[in-house]
Amino acid sequence: ATEITWWHAMDGALGGVVDQITADFNASQSDYHLVAVNKGGYEDTMTAGIAAFRAKNQPNIIQIFDAGAATIINAKGAVKPVQDLLEENNVKFDINDYIPGVRYFYADSDGKMIGMPFNSSTPLLYYNKEALAKAGVDVPKTWQEFEEAAPKLKEAGYIALAQSHSPWIFFENFMSRHNLQMATANNGYDSTDVEILYNNEALKDHWQHVKDWKDAGYYGYYGRAWGANQDAFVQQQVAMWIGSSGSFGGLRKSAQFDFGTSTLPYWKGVGDAPKSTFIGGASLFAFSGHSAEEDAGVAAFFQFLTKPETQYYWHKETGYVPITNAAYELAKKDGYYKESPDAEVGIQQLSEEGGDWTKGYRLGFYVQIREVIYREVDKIMNGEETVDAAFNTIEEEANGLLKRFNDTYSN
Ligand SMILES: O=P(O)(O)OC[C@H](O)CO
């Protein structure tokens, strides 16, 4: 059998599900043997992939997260558009088979699909049912409702909220949820000559509130580490946690209490809220430079991955949303959401009404821009910097990075 390799960023419980899908693909046919290798987190996997491509020993498939999409799509010649790869190998492909939110996040400006959607997510509010009952509060749908509930949760002995991944949840998805423009040039889709629009009153006001919540003991800030914020929820110190829908499967195993999921809260009266969130997670890219036979193996695997049964399995085990309409229908038909209504919230949020600024963004060096955001959020939270100063820095450094990207890759 022809061997094909897949470098991915799924570890822990998610890695186990990837291994199972890999084994299932290998058992389903005998022409190809897929080897899946975990390369650490999203950033590590992307760095390893770029280094391997430069050294001419790139794997066949690499998983690249949302923040890295622009970099890989603009690196002309590095990847083979998935749409071409599938068509060349006679695998039926119709972009309309995918749920709307997924369709264009990994497509080029002409709408051609470049990356194969795989693990798509959205931020969810996870809540501890007993904590909310003790405090006598309902799940907050808006930040105004959160402000009413927070003191009661504190009274009941809980920190009201923690959150993982500030750039993703409280920057990118803040803009989408309120239908606010994130960057010039159509959120970066029309040109690499682009500037960030984060330095705005709505977003700064949100962060001033977050800082005030922290100071009042309503918001737990455990640094940038995803796990530390999630752990505070698992250990029942915080009553609610905002994280990825992709954490649903893992939490179901680790939380020793009853929890539910709800949509990402929004500020009533700000922008055009509530609108659908951006698609999160990652997709799979086929590196170029491989033989036609290996490329055929990649196409066969992508075909396997898109089957409603595979998608449904992945969705059920992990909490990542079903990315094709057929998989979503299968889950409904199977009664999955009747048995587990909290598992449908992610896909429902992604299916909420969209607006001009909910389709996604395409910004180069965005992985580095997130690093700037993480650093500045730390400073706001630790009281080292005012919100205004932090946002001025974010704007200046982000625009510097965008300019550098444009100078290198202008299109
Ligand atoms: O944790 P994930 O896989 O849902 O990804 C969240 C963000 O989109 C990563 O950039």
Side-chain angles (χ1 to χ4, degrees):
T2 303
E3 184 165 304
I4 48 174
T5 48
W6 173 20
W7 287 5
H8 66 83
M10 307 273 87
D11 51 13
L14 295 171
V17 190
V18 162
D19 289 342
Q20 186 59 53
I21 288 180
T22 303
D24 290 347
F25 171 68
N26 287 334
S28 73
Q29 47 73 50
S30 52
D31 293 337
Y32 310 104
H33 183 75
L34 177 66
V35 179
V37 185
N38 173 239
K39 284 283 170 183
Y42 284 137
E43 288 88 350
D44 307 318
T45 303
M46 182 159 167
T47 308
I50 292 170
F53 183 73
R54 290 196 179 128
K56 298 195 171 35
N57 60 2
Q58 64 272 29
N60 298 89
I61 305 169
I62 183 147
Q63 183 183 26
I64 299 283
F65 64 151
D66 47 4
T71 305
I72 191 112
I73 289 172
N74 279 289
K76 298 263 184 291
V79 296
K80 203 161 181 177
V82 70
Q83 191 163 331
D84 294 344
L85 183 97
L86 294 176
E87 282 165 3
E88 276 169 29
N89 288 285
N90 302 316
V91 175
K92 184 190 145 287
F93 176 82
D94 182 356
I95 202 165
N96 295 312
D97 290 345
Y98 293 83
I99 60 164
V102 165
R103 261 175 233 163
Y104 297 105
F105 202 96
Y106 295 102
D108 68 10
S109 45
D110 300 325
K112 179 191 263 190
M113 200 92 111
I114 309 294
M116 182 78 197
F118 171 50
N119 57 320
S120 293
S121 65
T122 185
L124 293 180
L125 179 79
Y126 291 90
Y127 62 95
N128 178 326
K129 290 187 179 167
E130 189 186 308
L132 268 63
K134 264 196 209 160
V137 297
D138 291 330
V139 194
K141 292 283 177 204
T142 64
W143 290 120
Q144 282 93 343
E145 287 173 12
F146 170 78
E147 292 201 311
E148 282 177 29
K152 295 179 191 156
L153 284 160
K154 189 178 177 186
E155 242 338 90
Y158 297 94
I159 295 170
L161 178 72
Q163 172 242 176
S164 292
H165 210 323
S166 303
W168 182 48
I169 299 175
F170 276 180
F171 279 77
E172 295 145 40
N173 279 296
F174 180 94
M175 302 304 274
S176 167
R177 194 86 174 118
H178 297 89
N179 197 25
L180 297 169
Q181 188 174 353
M182 180 172 153
T184 57
N186 189 23
N187 274 1
Y189 276 107
D190 291 349
S191 168
T192 46
D193 184 6
V194 57
E195 293 199 337
I196 202 89
L197 296 173
Y198 278 153
N199 204 355
N200 66 75
E201 289 312 310
L203 187 55
K204 285 200 292 185
D205 192 51
H206 177 68
W207 273 99
Q208 188 56 58
H209 277 92
V210 176
K211 170 71 170 126
D212 293 345
W213 297 337
K214 178 175 178 283
D215 292 346
Y218 305 150
Y219 185 82
Y221 182 68
Y222 304 87
R224 68 174 283 177
W226 182 285
N229 292 279
Q230 182 173 344
D231 285 350
F233 177 68
V234 171
Q235 288 153 13
Q236 307 195 56
Q237 290 155 17
V238 303
M240 297 180 281
W241 170 68
I242 307 181
S244 169
S245 65
S247 299
F248 186 72
L251 267 178
R252 237 182 345 202
K253 293 194 184 97
S254 59
Q256 304 290 316
F257 56 91
D258 210 8
F259 69 87
T261 65
S262 185
T263 46
L264 179 66
Y266 56 90
W267 287 102
K268 205 168 171 206
V270 171
D272 213 1
K275 287 286 182 290
S276 139
T277 43
F278 289 148
I279 203 89
S283 74
L284 305 183
F285 289 85
F287 265 124
S288 52
H290 294 288
S291 68
E293 205 183 342
E294 289 182 23
D295 284 351
V298 174
F301 174 57
F302 285 173
Q303 183 173 27
F304 176 84
L305 206 53
T306 320
K307 283 200 326 196
E309 296 75 19
T310 315
Q311 272 300 311
Y312 179 35
Y313 171 73
W314 174 246
H315 167 51
K316 231 175 142 171
E317 290 297 314
T318 63
Y320 281 107
V321 304
I323 50 169
T324 58
N325 296 317
Y328 188 24
E329 286 310 314
L330 179 62
K332 284 194 221 171
K333 217 174 94 199
D334 196 41
Y336 179 45
Y337 305 126
K338 284 215 173 70
E339 160 205 320
S340 186
D342 290 306
E344 196 177 8
V345 177
I347 180 80
Q348 285 170 334
Q349 176 163 287
L350 286 168
S351 313
E352 279 183 40
E353 192 193 3
D356 286 345
W357 307 114
T358 62
K359 293 185 197 78
Y361 64 92
R362 178 67 43 82
L363 299 174
F365 291 150
Y366 195 74
V367 180
Q368 291 89 325
I369 293 174
R370 278 186 171 178
E371 289 303 315
V372 174
I373 295 172
Y374 273 125
R375 189 192 66 215
E376 294 304 306
V377 161
D378 251 350
K379 290 186 179 171
I380 295 174
M381 289 291 120
N382 298 335
E384 276 174 60
E385 234 177 31
T386 62
V387 170
D388 274 337
F391 272 77
N392 287 340
T393 305
I394 290 170
E395 179 174 51
E396 194 186 317
E397 291 192 27
N399 284 339
L401 284 159
L402 290 167
K403 185 170 178 322
R404 193 147 66 78
F405 189 81
N406 183 47
D407 291 345
T408 320
Y409 295 102
S410 91
N411 56 21

